[in-house]
Amino acid sequence: MAATQDVLQEGDFGPIPATEEHVGSLWGLVHSQSRLQKAGYVLWPLGQADLDKKKRCGRCTKVIRKGHERQKSRAQSVKLAPTIAQRIAAEVYPLPGKETTHMGVQSHARSMSLQTNGADIVDMMQDMTLKKDNKDGKDDKERGPPMNCRFHPGRIQSRASLSASIFAWTCCGKNISSPPCAAEQFHTTRVYRRGELESNWQYFSTPHPASTLDPSSSSSSSFFFASPPPAPVVAVVIDCEMGTAASGESELIRVSAVDFFTRRVLVDSLVWPDVKMAHFNTRYSGVSRQSMDAARRARRTLAGRAGARAALWQFIGPQTIVIGHSANSDLNALRWIHPIVIDSLLLEMRIQPREEREERGGKTKDAEQEEGAAVGTQEATPSTAEEDEKTKERKRLYPGLSLKALTAERLKREIQVRGQGHDSLEDALATRDLLVWHVVNKPEPPLVD
C-alpha cells in the first residue's frame, strides 16, 4: 500500500489501482456472517415470526412491542364503569389471593358485570388527549394507566406560505414534527391485506450476471442486453436516503453507488417510492416532495426498490464487496441480501471503546453529531492545559461513530452541513475515503493505553 500511502499524504483521495494486494486488503476487512447478523443485517428471507415483528400500530404507526398490543385484560373482559375500569387497568385492585384494602374489592367482583351500559377501557379512552406529565405530586395510580400509543388522529395537509409549502396535521394544526396530540393506552395492530407483509418485506439476493438486463429501462426490474453484460466491479460503496411512508416504515427515496477503486459514480438517482409517503424527511435526506415530483416528470427516477436494485446489479455480482456506513439500513431499504460487506461503522466500533462511543454519541449515520469543544481560560493551570491536550488527543483517536464526525476528524472534510440535509453521493464518497484511511493506517484496538 505504499502508493496509497503517498496518495493520502498528499491529501488526494483519487483512484487506487485494483492490484491483487489492494483487493486482498479489502477482503481482509469483510465481516463474518455472524457479525453481520448481530449488527442487524438480513442474510436470508424473513419467516412468519420475523414478519409478525414488522406489524405496526394502525394509529401511531410504531412497531408493536410484545405486551403493548390491545388485548383483553381484566378491565376489558367485562363492561365496566369508567372509573372502575381506570382503577383496574392501573392495578389498583389486588390480584386474587391477596388481601383486600379500602382501595380494593372482592375477587369475584372483577369477573361480574358492574354496569351493563358502561364502556370498556379502550372505548372509554378513545377520545382522550395527550397531556404533559403531571407535576402536581400525584402518583401513577392517581394519574391512571400509562398511554403507550401516542398519535395524531388527523392527516397531513399541505399549506402554502410565502416561502414554501408547510405540512401540518389537520387534527391540531401543528407542524408534522410536533408531538402527538392524542393518546391511547394500548396499540391497535393495523389491518394488513392478504400477502401485504410478505410482499413488502420480500428480500432478494444478488443475482449472477445475466444477459437479461437493459440499462436504458430504469422503470422496470426486467432488462435486456443485446450484448453480454459488463463484468461486475470488485468493490462498490453505496449510500441511500430514506423518507417515511404513510405506514410509518422507512422508505427508499435515493440511491448512490461509486466504484471503490476508481471513484467512478455508478448510480446516483432519486427513487420513486413503491408506497404512499407521509413525508420525505427532507431535513436529513435532502430530498423534497417538489424535487421528487420534478424528477419524475423528467423521467429521471428509478421505479421503486426493484428499479434501484436492478440499477445496482448492473455493476454488482455475488462476489462484489459492498461497502457502506451502517449499510444494514441501506440494504434493508433496498430489500437486498448480500453477505459480502464491509461496514465502516463496525470497523470504528472495533477500535473505539464503548465508553468513548457513548460519550461522543452519533451512533447512526442520520444522527447529527453535536460536538462542543472545551474552551480554555486565561487562568488555566499547566495541569489543566495538559488535560486539555489529552482530551484533544482522545477526541482525535475516538471522534464518535457518525459519518459526519469521522469524516471531519479522519479526513478533515465537512459533510452533512446543518440545514442542507444529507447527500447520498457525498456520503458514499466519504465512506469510501474513510475505508481507505482504515486500509492504510490499519488501526488496532486499543489505540492508546
Side-chain angles (χ1 to χ4, degrees):
M1 285 303 247
T4 307
Q5 187 84 38
D6 295 338
V7 169
L8 284 177
Q9 289 175 351
E10 295 170 5
D12 180 8
F13 299 94
I16 299 173
T19 63
E20 183 177 349
E21 178 188 0
H22 293 172
V23 174
S25 297
L26 283 187
W27 275 100
L29 295 176
V30 171
H31 306 290
S32 65
Q33 291 197 12
S34 60
R35 183 67 185 93
L36 292 177
Q37 183 181 359
K38 185 177 180 180
Y41 283 81
V42 175
L43 302 178
W44 50 78
L46 302 185
Q48 189 56 51
D50 299 312
L51 292 174
D52 289 340
K53 296 177 182 178
K54 300 293 184 182
K55 292 182 178 179
R56 291 177 175 263
C57 175
R59 291 186 298 244
C60 67
T61 72
K62 291 183 178 180
V63 175
I64 300 177
R65 292 185 297 164
K66 187 175 181 180
H68 285 219
E69 68 273 21
R70 178 180 177 178
Q71 54 187 352
K72 285 195 173 185
S73 63
R74 290 179 293 156
Q76 293 173 298
S77 59
V78 294
K79 295 293 184 180
L80 300 174
T83 55
I84 300 296
Q86 280 182 311
R87 296 176 70 183
I88 289 180
E91 302 295 336
V92 173
Y93 289 108
L95 295 172
K98 294 186 178 181
E99 294 183 0
T100 60
T101 65
H102 67 283
M103 295 288 291
V105 296
Q106 297 295 329
S107 60
H108 71 272
R110 290 193 296 273
S111 61
M112 61 183 292
S113 177
L114 301 182
Q115 183 172 316
T116 56
N117 295 325
D120 66 26
I121 188 169
V122 173
D123 294 335
M124 175 200 72
M125 291 162 47
Q126 192 161 2
D127 297 324
M128 182 176 292
T129 56
L130 178 64
K131 298 181 180 179
K132 295 182 178 179
D133 293 337
N134 292 335
K135 297 182 180 180
D136 53 6
K138 294 183 178 180
D139 58 23
D140 292 339
K141 294 179 180 180
E142 292 175 314
R143 285 199 296 265
M147 300 292 102
N148 295 313
C149 180
R150 305 187 177 205
F151 60 99
H152 284 282
R155 57 186 178 84
I156 298 176
Q157 188 177 57
S158 175
R159 297 178 180 178
S161 66
L162 296 178
S163 58
S165 296
I166 299 177
F167 294 93
W169 291 100
T170 57
C171 49
C172 58
K174 295 182 179 180
N175 187 275
I176 59 173
S177 60
S178 64
C181 62
E184 292 281 357
Q185 181 183 7
F186 296 107
H187 292 292
T188 299
T189 304
R190 176 191 159 199
V191 178
Y192 290 88
R193 299 188 302 273
R194 188 186 189 94
E196 181 180 356
L197 273 175
E198 291 80 356
S199 175
N200 185 45
W201 290 100
Q202 183 179 5
Y203 280 74
F204 300 85
S205 298
T206 309
H208 290 275
S211 58
T212 56
L213 297 178
D214 178 15
S216 65
S217 174
S218 61
S219 60
S220 172
S221 59
S222 298
F223 292 55
F224 300 93
F225 269 124
S227 59
V233 298
V234 176
V236 171
V237 187
I238 67 168
D239 192 87
C240 299
E241 302 295 348
M242 277 74 79
T244 302
S247 63
E249 301 284 356
S250 179
E251 188 68 24
L252 178 70
I253 57 176
R254 183 180 175 184
V255 60
S256 300
V258 298
D259 187 317
F260 174 81
F261 287 103
T262 67
R263 262 180 143 248
R264 178 169 66 100
V265 178
L266 304 176
V267 178
D268 184 31
S269 176
L270 294 180
V271 180
W272 184 260
D274 290 315
V275 297
K276 182 179 179 181
M277 299 294 290
H279 58 83
F280 287 88
N281 201 19
T282 305
R283 176 184 175 187
Y284 292 110
S285 70
V287 179
S288 66
R289 191 177 298 270
Q290 292 81 0
S291 62
M292 180 68 76
D293 290 339
R296 192 191 189 198
R297 287 193 297 267
R299 297 185 177 182
R300 291 186 286 104
T301 60
L302 298 171
R305 308 180 201 112
R309 288 192 303 268
L312 291 170
W313 289 344
Q314 293 180 51
F315 310 97
I316 298 175
Q319 294 301 309
T320 298
I321 301 173
V322 171
I323 302 161
H325 191 80
S326 187
N328 59 315
S329 300
D330 302 321
L331 294 178
N332 286 338
L334 287 158
R335 304 294 192 267
W336 179 16
I337 297 175
H338 192 87
I340 303 177
V341 174
I342 300 176
D343 193 328
S344 55
L345 175 66
L346 299 183
L347 295 181
E348 287 290 340
M349 290 177 67
R350 178 172 172 267
I351 65 174
Q352 296 193 41
R354 179 181 295 274
E355 58 272 15
E356 296 287 345
R357 304 198 309 255
E358 294 176 349
E359 180 180 349
R360 303 297 179 200
K363 294 188 178 181
T364 65
K365 64 182 181 182
D366 286 336
E368 292 288 333
Q369 178 79 5
E370 298 292 345
E371 297 179 347
V375 180
T377 63
Q378 295 180 350
E379 299 178 351
T381 62
S383 60
T384 303
E386 183 179 351
E387 291 177 358
D388 289 344
E389 288 299 322
K390 290 182 179 180
T391 300
K392 291 179 181 179
E393 177 64 11
R394 294 191 70 82
K395 182 180 176 182
R396 182 185 69 80
L397 297 174
Y398 310 121
L401 295 178
S402 73
L403 183 60
K404 178 183 177 70
L406 290 167
T407 303
E409 183 57 46
R410 307 273 197 242
L411 309 177
K412 310 304 179 186
R413 186 189 310 169
E414 185 179 13
I415 63 171
Q416 302 174 1
V417 179
R418 180 179 294 277
Q420 297 181 14
H422 294 193
D423 183 322
S424 56
L425 180 57
E426 178 185 60
D427 291 353
L429 290 170
T431 301
R432 180 262 184 189
D433 292 343
L434 181 61
L435 182 57
V436 172
W437 183 93
H438 274 268
V439 171
V440 172
N441 292 278
K442 298 180 176 62
E444 291 290 339
L447 293 180
V448 294
D449 295 333

